[in-house]
């Protein structure tokens, strides 16, 4: 059972998630401060006069997860999503957290570290055999808490779009 399978247990699988990968590992104090700041936002979060039940978590000392579901079962509105994005960015700026640049790929190294690299660097790693179908990769575009809980966020590259996009080799 993965740590994500019990993530934010008060929220339904249908809750929307937004995953923000930090450019460097977040220490315990920074994680706590992010959870506190974003928790205050979540406590007041609404969408078209409907409360949004939300939650915040940090995975692998690197990924800030904000999840939310309207109490009436609808998805949060675009304005509510914009509010959440502003809250995440404001918290990050106040704490000196930088995000991984868009279009970078995230994977787990042989020693367990999470790395973020450009697409061209990932392709080079694949060509060198340093990244294979067995390399764990992350997909921060996961959109529901259920998908995250079921393992769609971190999985072997051979089970993700990375395998075809980068012609990954299967280790011998």
């Amino acid at each position: 059972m993965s740590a994500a399978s019990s993530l934010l247990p008060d929220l339904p699988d249908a809750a929307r998630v937004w995953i923000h990968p930090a450019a460097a590992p977040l220490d315990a104090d920074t994680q706590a401060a992010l959870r506190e700041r974003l928790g205050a936002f979540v406590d007041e979060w609404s969408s078209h006069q409907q409360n949004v039940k939300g939650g915040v978590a940090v995975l692998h000392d690197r990924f800030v997860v904000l999840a939310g579901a309207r109490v009436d079962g609808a998805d949060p509105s675009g304005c509510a999503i914009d509010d959440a994005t502003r809250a995440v960015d404001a918290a990050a700026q106040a704490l000196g957290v930088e995000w991984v640049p868009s279009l970078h790929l995230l994977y787990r190294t042989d020693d367990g570290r999470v790395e973020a690299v450009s697409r061209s660097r990932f392709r080079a790693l694949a060509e060198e055999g340093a990244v294979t179908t067995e390399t764990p990769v992350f997909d921060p575009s996961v959109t529901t808490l259920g998908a995250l809980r079921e393992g769609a966020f971190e999985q072997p590259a051979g089970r993700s779009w990375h395998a075809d996009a980068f012609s990954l080799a299967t280790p011998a």
Side-chain angles (χ1 to χ4, degrees):
M1 178 182 252
S2 74
S5 63
S6 61
L7 185 67
L8 302 169
D10 293 340
L11 294 174
D13 282 345
R16 293 280 316 270
V17 294
W18 296 270
I19 301 171
H20 303 269
L26 302 169
D27 63 37
D29 290 341
T30 302
Q31 289 181 43
L34 281 166
R35 283 191 298 270
E36 181 179 332
R37 287 172 181 266
L38 294 174
F41 164 76
V42 165
D43 288 345
E44 302 296 323
W45 199 8
S46 67
S47 173
H48 294 291
Q49 292 81 41
Q50 294 290 318
N51 289 335
V52 175
K53 184 175 182 177
V56 179
V58 178
L59 296 176
H60 312 298
D61 298 330
R62 197 72 185 262
F63 301 96
V64 177
V65 178
L66 179 67
R70 280 185 24 180
V71 294
D72 65 357
D75 281 339
S77 67
C79 291
I81 294 167
D82 289 346
D83 290 344
T85 299
R86 283 191 290 275
V88 169
D89 287 343
Q93 183 175 22
L95 297 169
V97 173
E98 293 184 28
W99 302 124
V100 167
S102 61
L103 300 181
H104 273 53
L105 302 176
L106 297 123
Y107 70 99
R108 195 176 291 282
T109 63
D110 289 340
D111 64 1
R113 289 178 296 116
V114 175
E115 289 290 328
V117 296
S118 67
R119 289 171 109 55
S120 61
R121 178 67 185 136
F122 193 86
R123 182 173 307 284
L125 290 167
E127 289 169 358
E128 296 165 11
V131 172
T132 70
T133 56
E134 293 180 1
T135 302
V137 294
F138 296 91
D139 182 1
S141 70
V142 169
T143 60
T144 67
L145 189 54
L148 192 141
R149 288 173 175 156
E150 293 167 6
F153 175 56
E154 180 181 8
Q155 59 186 330
R159 292 196 345 229
S160 78
W161 61 268
H162 298 76
D164 290 334
F166 295 97
S167 302
L168 296 178
T170 301

